[in-house]
Amino acid sequence: MGTLVGHVAPGLGFLLIGLWHLFNHIKLHALNSHSYVSPPWFPSSKFKYLELLLIMAGSLASISMELFIGPDRHQPFDPDGTIPSNHLHNFEHSSISMTFFLYAAFAIVLDRIAAASRARYALTQLLAAVAFAQQLLLFHLHSADHDGPEGQYHLLLQLIVLVSLTTTLMGIGLPNSFTVSFTRSLSVLFQGVWLVAMGFMLWTPGLVPKGCFMNLEEGHQVVRCSSHEALHRAVSLVNIQFSWYLIGITVFGMSLYLGLVKVYAGKTQYFSLGEEEEDEVESNDDVESQKKSVRGNATSFIHVGKSFSPIDMER
């Protein structure tokens, strides 16, 4: 990070993952509103672990850029083996990326080894929460000088990460809550949008607020303001920008929900009481099984003129 590309590239990654999760959670809930269970990640139709492998590849690329490609000597240490002060933030950023890499790697291992255990979903959610907690901690205790507009951008970013962390932890105990999953996906999407906005607003000279300028400090371009009034104006503009983005993300999320529900909710089918219900408990915590439950026998309905809620035939 610390550059336009350093913010835009990971921002696009968060944006795409958030959008992918938002779409799939809405679709899954629309198709299985009565048996919805929130998965921590979604398999793709072509390759099951594509999402997780992309997270791992992006994390490795970020670590390589921070520690080996970005530094002038292509390694982050001083000749005496110590970490120079101007590379502390490189280690902080790479630590965040390493935690997300571990989340994706263990998610694959848990899915392959503990596929029959329901605990794998909770443990995967816990790993995601650890990654968000690491992200929040290191952004809050960042070694870089985040005074002025840059500091305000990072402060507001921490609020979004806090929402991602909180909803991820809530998802462990509330796996059937669509609202929790929806909010978490929307917050990850917002993280991506905000990181992209930071990259352009802080490292594009033409977008620097009036009365402020870009200054080279310790090998990095930093936005500084010429007066207290200019600084106050710049920080206020960041707050206004955040509020507009929040409104836009909210409108987008609700519009996407309404659109997808209209498309997929009508595909729910109803079946007679003769349909089997034996696999209902076992299939609900699996994404593919949830999708099949719309066509198969995961949920049974009485359909005589009108449809009613599921009925336990043993009562």
Side-chain angles (χ1 to χ4, degrees):
M1 294 187 175
T3 62
L4 187 150
V5 176
H7 283 78
V8 171
L12 289 175
F14 277 103
L15 192 156
L16 292 175
I17 293 296
L19 187 60
W20 170 252
H21 276 228
L22 192 64
F23 171 83
N24 281 284
H25 278 300
I26 295 173
K27 178 181 177 181
L28 190 62
H29 183 263
L31 295 173
N32 304 273
S33 58
H34 296 284
S35 58
Y36 170 82
V37 176
S38 170
W41 55 275
F42 289 91
S44 62
S45 58
K46 300 296 183 181
F47 184 66
K48 183 177 182 180
Y49 300 115
L50 181 61
E51 174 192 331
L52 299 175
L53 290 176
L54 288 177
I55 293 175
M56 294 172 65
S59 299
L60 286 177
S62 176
I63 294 171
S64 299
M65 181 62 68
E66 292 287 348
L67 299 182
F68 306 108
I69 300 175
D72 294 334
R73 293 190 296 271
H74 299 295
Q75 57 90 13
F77 297 100
D78 267 339
D80 60 357
T82 60
I83 302 175
S85 58
N86 63 323
H87 283 167
L88 289 172
H89 65 281
N90 296 97
F91 280 90
E92 293 165 348
H93 296 157
S94 61
S95 296
I96 296 172
S97 299
M98 178 58 71
T99 313
F100 280 105
F101 177 89
L102 292 177
Y103 151 74
F106 275 111
I108 295 176
V109 173
L110 286 170
D111 184 72
R112 293 184 66 86
I113 296 179
S117 173
R118 293 189 178 186
R120 75 186 190 279
Y121 277 3
L123 291 174
T124 305
Q125 290 277 53
L126 179 61
L127 289 168
V130 170
F132 287 129
Q134 175 88 299
Q135 184 186 19
L136 179 62
L137 175 68
L138 291 178
F139 278 147
H140 183 70
L141 303 176
H142 211 303
S143 62
D145 182 7
H146 282 167
D147 292 333
E150 185 176 356
Q152 194 67 13
Y153 274 107
H154 280 84
L155 176 62
L156 295 174
L157 175 62
Q158 292 173 47
L159 295 180
I160 309 173
V161 177
L162 179 61
V163 174
S164 299
L165 171 60
T166 303
T167 50
T168 302
L169 289 172
M170 291 176 63
I172 298 175
L174 300 171
N176 301 107
S177 174
F178 169 73
T179 306
V180 171
S181 303
F182 181 84
T183 306
R184 181 176 66 248
S185 303
L186 210 58
S187 70
V188 174
L189 173 66
F190 197 178
Q191 278 195 58
V193 171
W194 193 242
L195 282 168
V196 172
M198 287 175 60
F200 283 105
M201 298 302 294
L202 292 174
W203 284 278
T204 302
L207 298 178
V208 173
K210 183 170 60 178
C212 301
F213 57 93
M214 298 185 69
N215 188 44
L216 184 63
E217 299 178 8
E218 296 184 346
H220 301 281
Q221 294 287 348
V222 180
V223 175
R224 297 299 183 194
C225 298
S226 57
S227 64
H228 177 74
E229 290 75 13
L231 174 60
H232 178 74
R233 178 179 180 275
V235 171
S236 298
L237 288 175
V238 175
N239 296 335
I240 293 173
Q241 182 186 2
F242 182 84
S243 66
W244 287 352
Y245 275 50
L246 178 60
I247 294 171
I249 292 293
T250 302
V251 171
F252 173 79
M254 296 308 297
S255 300
L256 184 64
Y257 172 80
L258 293 174
L260 292 179
V261 165
K262 184 177 181 180
V263 172
Y264 291 106
K267 295 184 178 181
T268 304
Q269 301 179 18
Y270 300 93
F271 300 90
S272 64
L273 292 176
E275 298 289 341
E276 297 178 355
E277 299 183 355
E278 296 177 356
D279 298 330
E280 182 177 4
V281 175
E282 295 179 1
S283 64
N284 278 348
D285 65 345
D286 182 81
V287 179
E288 297 177 355
S289 298
Q290 289 185 67
K291 292 180 180 178
K292 292 178 182 177
S293 68
V294 180
R295 302 185 300 272
N297 52 20
T299 306
S300 297
F301 293 82
I302 299 179
H303 187 58
V304 183
K306 295 182 180 180
S307 58
F308 297 87
S309 58
I311 297 179
D312 189 343
M313 294 303 298
E314 295 182 0
R315 294 182 181 178

